Amino acid sequence: MLNRYPLWKYLLILVVLLVGLIYALPNLYPADPAVQISSTASGAALDQERLDRLTQALEDKDIAIKQSELDGNSALIRLERAGQQVAAREIIDERLGDAYTVALNLADATPGWLQALSATPMKLGLDLQGGVHFLLEVDMDAAVEQRLEANASAVRDLLRDERIRYRDTSIDGRAITFQFANADDRDAARGLITDQFPDFEYSTPDTERGASLTMTFTDQAVQDLQDYAVNQNLTTIRNRVNELGVSEPLVQRQGPSRIVVELPGVQDTAAAKRIVGATANLEFRLEARPDTPEREIETLPFRNDEGRSADLMRDIIVTGDHVSSASRSFDENNRPQVNINLDGAGGSMMSRATRANIGRNMAVVFIEHKTRTRTVMEDGEEVEKREAYTERGIISLATIQSTLGNRFRITGLESASEAGDLALLLRSGSLAAPIYFAQERTIGPSLGAQNIAQGIMSVEVGLLLVVLFMLARYKAFGVVANVSLGLNLVLLVAAMSLLGATLTLPGIAGIVLTLGMAVDANVLIFERIREELRAKMPVQQAIHTGFERAFTSIVDANITTLLVAVILFSIGTGPVKGFAVTLSLGILTSMFTAIMVSRAMINLTIGGRPLKKIWI
Amino acid sequence: MRQLDFMGKRRITFIASVLITVIAVGALAFKGLNLGLDFTGGTLVEVRYQQAPELDELRGQLENAGFEDVQVQTFGATNDILVRLQQTFDNEVGQQVVDILNTDTNSVQLVRAEFVGAQVGDQLRDQSGLGMLLALAVVMVYVAFRFQYKFAFGALIALGHDVVIVLGIFALLGLDFDLTVLAAVLAVIGYSLNDTIIVYDRIRENIRRSQTDDMPQIFNDAINQTLARTMATSGTTLLVLLALFFLGGDMIHNFSIALILGIVAGTFSSVYVSAALLLVVKLERKDLIPAQKEDDEEEELP
């Protein structure tokens, strides 16, 4: 008998290998570190002359430029070295000013014809290119408390408008309790509130004096609030990350209350952390009058003068949530200020409040929600306790001269960078609930480069050892196995690039491991062929039987490993996931190359001739 | 080809296996795994000095700055230092450590900083244990389905044997057990199973073909027939792992140790544990008879 494949099988293998080769190719062209400039204001255009001046300025500072290109209103400057991105951005920022956004970027260096086939290189994980990974936890208790505060304030307004007198309000856990002088007031209040605040369950607990009304947040409402808070935070953090100008950032929800942020290539991690995690917001409030009742007053300190404080109304005119845009600038005395535009609703609230209060003082309050962690002993074990607390400080207190509309500015900030941060935070929106850092990983860029170098080195050496081993053991058939192994590597890289998988260090380890195991299928087949030859089977028959009999073993063994890889993928995070992806793709590609491709090679070379002996 | 009498020596190897397993379990019970940051929570900062520093001095510097329970060790090179801290409250601890350690004469560079909240660590620990059990369970169901429940039993014991030995040696030597090592242990499960299945596959085939009911003889034949393959595959994989171990850098050092241990244990157990256990559970020809049909048709294909 002879060993032949039908033509279509050869063609199929050829097509698969060609496609694999094309999609693996882009990995030979690593992305260039680059700085992207785009104009934000409509009047500010970029032209070639300006770009030339910028590149000249960069070269003067010893920053090597690979290429610069102008595309309409934006420009891309490719650099030779990744470490100089930040320096380059600073220089450009300084020269162009606020009308342009300057962002760090990794520019694709894939040739055009490959890009047309949407072939892209693999992304490198944080451990290979450096950067930061944050796992943020949304503080749900604080979110609930904030929402209750807002509701309590709204209820107080309502009661005041309807002239129902209440004594006191208190918030405990998920409930707000109002104290009234008598049951009539309470019943009137209950009738009024119930319709307007449907997210609560109402009860009237007995009290010794007067009457009280408790409104408790329903489970459904807490659930909704949680989803809202996490999604809102996700949007806000995305905005902030975009403002930071990081190339290929990842902002993703994980589980019910966590958010993953990955910023590859970020070098100033402290700044990234400050911006991502900041929970700053603004409140505009009137100063209290001398005759304001005690319970409506809150005394707050000044932010840059601890000893000074002012009595403010508890009720808020407008918060930073109504800011539609904000930018930093300097006043005539060169002091930093933030220019603020309010949205429609915010503008009308502001003008209504200021119109009626010309001559009174209005305060701008800077609020920061923070959490601190303490370790306390509880039942003989150290337990971490988290406490949410809010810092409020007055930035400025100024007399209202005239009715304010939706555009105004605030002064009284300590430094230009603080004004810049505040403008950025107001622009990107505030966080719906405070967040804290549950996990953080910072990988320096030097470690990344080292990891890549060592990873590639070990892949090369490992591969070489396997190749030598197979040649020594299986001679001519070893060549077949080695060619399949090489093609396997190409297909694996192609599949990972196509899936958009991220290459991590454990991922590289996974590649190396699959290479070691990839020859297993060939080993099984070849051993079986040898065995059949020893049993005096004719050569072509032995080849056929070897492939045939080894097949079930290969499938059974690989499926079980695949099952484990899938489980690894579903429980793992970050790097372990990368390992699982590589492992499972490696199993699939190695089955294809070891069974189909090596068979095709054998069929093509010796399958058509009657042979007495083979060199195995 | 030489025939080695594996089954004849099964009592000796059983005793050896049991002994190693008992030591491993003992090490796990009394010494425990040295769980890495991923599972315990805490802070880890890796810094690189220009010149190798004095470790005690360094510890003193950090303790004076208010950090408690500081662990300092070199990582790879003598100027590469790993600092471990208990849970701290500050978010910018990485930069802080660098600022404290930086002196005029010996500059310090931050290589990496990792911070894991205790709660996240606890969750991961539960999840990983669960994942490992799930992996075992799914694989057992698959083996029971493709072969027979007695095979599943043998494979399970062999797997448990390999995993316990890897974990036990990690506990015994006090090696850091982190996420990459967990990945390696799961890969060991896959690998050791791979080996076991290959042997089982051959046993099944031989039982269906042979005329005798002499199970030890059938098993011996099967193991001898697959021995060359087992050695070749373990050999290539070990070659690759040795390359990783010596050249892959410190970050995947423990990963490669776990896999090397696992593959040695897995190769041993696929011969002596998983196959020998089939004798213990009294595998008989009739256990495999119902599946006989599918085998006969395939013989005649060209």
Side-chain angles (χ1 to χ4, degrees):
Chain A
M1 70 170 287
L2 298 173
N3 277 306
R4 281 203 202 102
Y5 262 175
L7 184 64
W8 69 267
K9 268 200 182 176
Y10 290 124
L11 289 178
L12 177 76
I13 291 170
L14 200 67
V15 167
V16 170
L17 292 180
L18 269 180
V19 170
L21 207 59
I22 288 172
Y23 284 94
L25 256 184
N27 292 292
L28 295 179
Y29 305 93
D32 295 326
V35 182
Q36 167 116 37
I37 309 164
S38 45
S39 63
T40 42
S42 46
L46 270 173
D47 49 34
Q48 192 59 45
E49 194 190 333
R50 193 152 201 179
L51 188 61
D52 289 343
R53 277 210 304 277
L54 282 177
T55 51
Q56 191 55 47
L58 290 176
E59 272 163 0
D60 287 347
K61 290 267 161 66
D62 271 339
I63 292 175
I65 292 167
K66 196 172 181 184
Q67 199 193 352
S68 66
E69 40 198 277
L70 191 68
D71 178 23
N73 250 355
S74 68
L76 191 71
I77 302 178
R78 292 170 189 258
L79 306 177
E80 291 286 358
R81 283 190 291 278
Q84 294 183 326
Q85 266 176 308
V86 174
R89 180 174 67 175
E90 271 166 20
I91 294 168
I92 297 171
D93 239 349
E94 217 169 81
R95 291 186 176 250
L96 287 182
D98 268 357
Y100 297 90
T101 318
V102 185
L104 303 186
N105 201 335
L106 277 179
D108 236 346
T110 313
W113 66 276
L114 280 175
Q115 276 183 17
L117 295 168
S118 61
T120 49
M122 269 186 278
K123 287 197 290 279
L124 296 182
L126 284 185
D127 49 352
L128 296 182
Q129 62 169 317
V132 286
H133 162 105
F134 296 135
L135 182 63
L136 306 165
E137 178 115 30
V138 180
D139 193 333
M140 288 332 286
D141 293 341
V144 170
E145 198 180 315
Q146 268 179 35
R147 177 61 67 90
L148 289 179
E149 292 268 11
N151 275 304
S153 172
V155 171
R156 280 199 296 267
D157 273 349
L158 192 67
L159 293 178
R160 256 199 312 272
D161 286 350
E162 297 293 324
R163 296 184 190 289
I164 298 172
R165 297 172 64 87
Y166 62 93
R167 278 199 191 139
D168 197 14
T169 56
S170 61
I171 292 175
D172 182 32
R174 283 199 207 170
I176 315 173
T177 306
F178 291 86
Q179 298 289 340
F180 297 90
N182 54 58
D184 289 343
D185 278 352
R186 180 193 64 201
D187 293 342
R190 181 173 183 169
L192 192 67
I193 305 169
T194 316
D195 291 343
Q196 301 204 18
F197 297 89
D199 287 344
F200 291 89
E201 277 159 3
Y202 293 87
S203 62
T204 49
D206 295 327
T207 44
E208 285 176 23
R209 288 175 46 226
S212 68
L213 172 65
T214 299
M215 45 201 285
T216 312
F217 231 7
T218 59
D219 289 343
Q220 182 58 41
V222 171
Q223 184 71 41
D224 290 348
L225 175 64
Q226 177 160 340
D227 277 345
Y228 163 80
V230 173
N231 287 331
Q232 177 65 37
N233 279 0
L234 214 55
T235 314
T236 304
I237 290 172
R238 255 188 216 129
N239 289 339
R240 289 180 182 178
V241 166
N242 290 342
E243 295 260 355
L244 274 175
V246 179
S247 55
E248 300 186 43
L250 171 96
V251 180
Q252 214 172 46
R253 182 173 183 171
Q254 188 181 73
S257 63
R258 289 191 185 141
I259 295 173
V260 180
V261 179
E262 278 190 1
L263 310 174
V266 160
Q267 281 133 356
D268 185 359
T269 53
K273 205 158 179 175
R274 203 172 58 236
I275 299 294
V276 168
T279 49
N281 202 344
L282 289 184
E283 279 173 7
F284 298 91
R285 300 198 201 183
L286 288 171
E287 191 180 29
R289 287 208 184 88
D291 62 340
T292 311
E294 187 71 26
R295 64 169 181 267
E296 289 180 15
I297 293 179
E298 188 175 11
T299 307
L300 291 178
F302 276 79
R303 204 153 165 264
N304 43 17
D305 184 0
E306 288 285 330
R308 219 175 129 208
S309 63
D311 291 343
L312 302 182
M313 304 292 290
R314 266 185 193 279
D315 293 316
I316 298 157
I317 305 174
V318 157
T319 68
D321 297 342
H322 287 287
V323 171
S324 61
S325 73
S327 64
R328 177 190 74 177
S329 64
F330 295 92
D331 67 4
E332 47 280 5
N333 298 323
N334 215 20
R335 280 177 311 202
Q337 61 179 18
V338 177
N339 304 312
I340 288 178
N341 281 338
L342 293 178
D343 61 11
S348 59
M349 281 190 273
M350 182 57 94
S351 68
R352 197 169 54 223
T354 48
R355 190 182 314 130
N357 291 296
I358 292 177
R360 266 177 94 174
N361 282 342
M362 186 175 76
V364 182
V365 182
F366 186 89
I367 318 154
E368 217 170 344
H369 297 285
K370 293 180 169 175
T371 43
R372 63 179 150 227
T373 325
R374 310 180 285 139
T375 321
V376 293
M377 297 297 280
E378 207 168 82
D379 303 331
E381 263 186 65
E382 284 195 5
V383 186
E384 262 185 73
K385 287 265 182 203
R386 243 184 14 259
E387 300 173 318
Y389 65 103
T390 310
E391 266 183 18
R392 288 188 159 83
I394 300 172
I395 298 180
S396 69
L397 185 66
T399 311
I400 301 171
Q401 306 285 0
S402 59
T403 307
L404 291 174
N406 58 352
R407 292 169 66 98
F408 53 92
R409 57 187 195 179
I410 50 178
T411 53
L413 293 150
E414 274 173 24
S415 66
S417 70
E418 190 182 67
D421 280 1
L422 180 62
L424 190 157
L425 294 178
L426 288 173
R427 237 181 358 247
S428 56
S430 65
L431 295 168
I435 49 178
Y436 61 92
F437 288 82
Q439 193 180 20
E440 184 200 335
R441 243 167 248 270
T442 307
I443 310 284
S446 62
L447 180 65
Q450 192 186 331
N451 281 344
I452 286 198
Q454 285 176 332
I456 288 175
M457 174 79 171
S458 57
V459 172
E460 284 170 355
V461 173
L463 198 61
L464 187 73
L465 289 173
V466 173
V467 165
L468 291 178
F469 182 92
M470 292 303 281
L471 275 182
R473 194 171 165 88
Y474 299 109
K475 323 272 179 346
F477 276 63
V479 176
V480 171
N482 286 337
V483 174
S484 331
L485 187 63
L487 293 173
N488 178 30
L489 186 61
V490 170
L491 285 184
L492 180 57
V493 169
M496 287 179 71
S497 310
L498 262 178
L499 283 182
T502 308
L503 189 67
T504 59
L505 192 61
I508 292 183
I511 292 181
V512 184
L513 187 65
T514 46
L515 290 184
M517 290 167 70
V519 293
D520 181 45
N522 275 127
V523 168
L524 271 168
I525 295 166
F526 295 167
E527 288 297 334
R528 200 65 195 236
I529 294 177
R530 278 181 167 188
E531 214 184 302
E532 305 302 343
L533 286 175
R534 268 198 301 273
K536 301 281 181 288
M537 201 181 260
V539 168
Q540 299 293 356
Q541 183 72 41
I543 293 175
H544 179 83
T545 318
F547 272 95
E548 202 73 49
R549 294 241 168 103
F551 185 75
T552 47
S553 298
I554 296 171
V555 170
D556 267 333
N558 281 320
I559 283 182
T560 45
T561 313
L562 204 58
L563 283 174
V564 174
V566 168
I567 291 167
L568 201 59
F569 181 82
S570 60
I571 62 158
T573 54
V576 175
K577 263 203 160 80
F579 176 73
V581 170
T582 328
L583 197 61
S584 28
L585 287 178
I587 290 167
L588 296 177
T589 55
S590 74
M591 276 172 72
F592 174 76
T593 52
I595 299 173
M596 295 270 286
V597 178
S598 59
R599 181 77 188 269
M601 277 191 280
I602 291 170
N603 286 359
L604 272 178
T605 50
I606 58 169
R609 283 177 286 161
L611 291 172
K612 285 268 177 296
K613 240 186 104 187
I614 45 172
W615 205 29
I616 186 168
Chain B
M1 182 144 183
R2 253 177 328 138
Q3 287 279 320
L4 298 173
D5 182 18
F6 287 106
M7 290 303 109
K9 297 192 183 72
R10 67 175 187 273
R11 289 208 168 69
I12 306 169
T13 55
F14 257 156
I15 292 171
S17 266
V18 168
L19 212 65
I20 299 173
T21 311
V22 166
I23 293 174
V25 169
L28 281 173
F30 292 111
K31 224 172 151 209
L33 277 176
N34 186 8
L35 289 177
L37 186 75
D38 296 319
F39 300 100
T40 58
T43 304
L44 179 154
V45 183
E46 189 186 333
V47 292
R48 188 166 296 148
Y49 275 86
Q50 218 144 44
Q51 302 128 35
E54 205 60 55
L55 286 190
D56 283 333
E57 204 173 293
L58 210 152
R59 197 172 296 122
Q61 276 177 323
L62 288 170
E63 270 165 10
N64 286 340
F67 290 111
E68 285 166 28
D69 269 335
V70 188
Q71 279 182 47
V72 181
Q73 69 185 82
T74 56
F75 189 67
T78 50
N79 62 339
D80 222 358
I81 306 293
L82 210 56
V83 180
R84 281 162 206 274
L85 306 163
Q86 286 299 313
Q87 201 72 51
T88 41
F89 326 132
D90 204 300
N91 276 334
E92 270 132 40
V93 70
Q95 198 52 49
Q96 253 179 26
V97 166
V98 174
D99 289 343
I100 293 165
L101 297 181
N102 225 334
T103 57
D104 295 333
T105 49
N106 202 353
S107 78
V108 176
Q109 203 191 343
L110 180 70
V111 179
R112 67 181 159 129
E114 291 179 15
F115 158 79
V116 179
Q119 202 198 347
V120 179
D122 282 351
Q123 251 175 30
L124 186 68
R125 195 161 45 196
D126 296 347
Q127 227 180 19
S128 314
L130 221 68
M132 207 138 29
L133 288 179
L134 184 67
L136 288 177
V138 169
V139 160
M140 285 315 99
V141 172
Y142 181 79
V143 174
F145 168 74
R146 282 287 293 171
F147 292 84
Q148 205 252 348
Y149 75 93
K150 285 179 183 170
F151 286 89
F153 171 77
L156 180 67
I157 302 283
L159 274 189
H161 169 266
D162 300 345
V163 170
V164 164
I165 286 179
V166 174
L167 294 180
I169 294 179
F170 262 73
L172 204 63
L173 300 181
L175 295 173
D176 233 16
F177 188 88
D178 59 18
L179 261 185
T180 58
V181 179
L182 176 75
V185 169
L186 284 159
V188 165
I189 295 184
Y191 186 89
S192 138
L193 199 73
N194 199 314
D195 259 6
T196 302
I197 298 277
I198 300 286
V199 175
Y200 277 6
D201 210 65
R202 202 57 187 252
I203 289 178
R204 175 173 62 180
E205 192 184 320
N206 288 359
I207 289 181
R208 284 178 187 167
R209 281 163 187 242
S210 70
Q211 309 302 321
T212 68
D213 271 331
D214 181 9
M215 287 294 159
Q217 186 53 48
I218 290 176
F219 287 10
N220 253 337
D221 289 347
I223 292 170
N224 274 300
Q225 282 157 349
T226 51
L227 191 65
R229 172 267 157 194
T230 307
M231 291 301 152
T233 301
S234 300
T236 52
T237 312
L238 277 178
L239 281 179
V240 166
L241 285 170
L242 288 174
L244 272 188
F245 177 79
F246 286 111
L247 304 169
D250 294 309
M251 301 280 284
I252 43 179
H253 214 71
N254 287 350
F255 173 87
S256 40
I257 293 180
L259 270 168
I260 290 173
L261 290 174
I263 281 168
V264 172
T267 308
F268 173 82
S269 74
S270 70
V271 174
Y272 285 108
V273 180
S274 47
L277 274 173
L278 291 180
L279 289 178
V280 176
V281 294
K282 301 207 164 47
L283 184 79
E284 288 174 66
R285 177 188 298 277
K286 68 171 194 292
D287 288 333
L288 289 167
I289 293 272
Q292 187 113 35
K293 267 180 270 163
E294 59 176 42
D295 211 61
D296 292 345
E297 306 167 37
E298 304 212 322
E299 299 294 298
E300 294 307 317
L301 289 172

